[in-house]
Amino acid sequence: MELMSGPYPIRGSVLLPEAELMWRFSRSSGPGGQHVNTSDSQVELRFDLAGTESLPPVWKQRALERLAGRLVDGVVSVRASEHRSQWRNREAAAVRLASLLAEATAPPPKPRRPTRIPRGINERRLREKKRRGETKQGRSGRGWT
């Protein structure tokens, strides 16, 4: 994973504003040996999605709808504790939040244009279906008396 610091890009030129991020640190379970009992390496990163002005209104609305199940009072939170160092967990949490927001603000996919199935394909499918039915019919013991 590439480590970065500072403003985290969401998509295009839109960045996660450092000032709107709320960090909380706590003791982490997991790797670290005796060190784990003394350092607050687990990171919880919170971002007020409902109150932010840094996202375009359309993106904000889209993210609020798509992340509705994850939001608590309009705030989305991400936790990271896989690394031993708090700094690497901070990076991991920020990258995770940025990718979560990028996915949530992505435009919806273009609607599928329905296409007609060519007649030849449909006829071939029905012929094959008929043939299979006859094969299976031949397996039954009827007509052998």
Side-chain angles (χ1 to χ4, degrees):
M1 174 169 71
E2 174 186 318
L3 294 176
M4 51 194 246
S5 61
Y8 301 92
I10 295 174
R11 237 181 5 175
S13 61
V14 179
L15 303 172
L16 246 180
E18 197 72 48
E20 293 184 27
L21 300 179
M22 297 165 278
W23 299 92
R24 201 166 83 197
F25 309 101
S26 58
R27 297 223 170 104
S28 174
S29 63
Q34 294 169 338
H35 170 76
V36 79
N37 302 325
T38 58
S39 67
D40 292 342
S41 60
Q42 178 172 284
V43 174
E44 184 181 356
L45 175 58
R46 296 161 54 87
F47 178 65
D48 186 3
L49 187 58
T52 187
E53 293 299 320
S54 59
L55 294 177
V58 179
W59 286 24
K60 184 173 160 181
Q61 191 58 42
R62 210 179 282 156
L64 283 169
E65 287 168 13
R66 290 183 183 166
L67 297 176
R70 284 192 70 147
L71 297 177
V72 178
D73 298 329
V75 176
V76 64
S77 72
V78 172
R79 184 173 283 150
S81 62
E82 61 267 16
H83 301 290
R84 283 179 60 166
S85 86
Q86 185 190 96
W87 187 79
R88 287 183 68 189
N89 280 332
R90 283 179 69 130
E91 295 293 326
V95 167
R96 204 172 293 159
L97 180 65
S99 68
L100 181 73
L101 288 174
E103 204 174 293
T105 58
K110 288 182 179 168
R112 182 186 170 278
R113 251 184 59 221
T115 55
R116 286 190 53 216
I117 299 170
R119 190 196 299 149
I121 290 176
N122 211 19
E123 285 175 356
R124 196 175 325 137
R125 180 183 65 85
L126 292 173
R127 258 198 320 272
E128 180 62 26
K129 208 170 150 75
K130 191 82 172 152
R131 198 176 64 74
R132 289 287 300 153
E134 288 167 359
T135 302
K136 291 185 175 192
Q137 196 73 40
R139 290 181 190 154
S140 74
R142 275 187 253 141
W144 282 86
T145 48

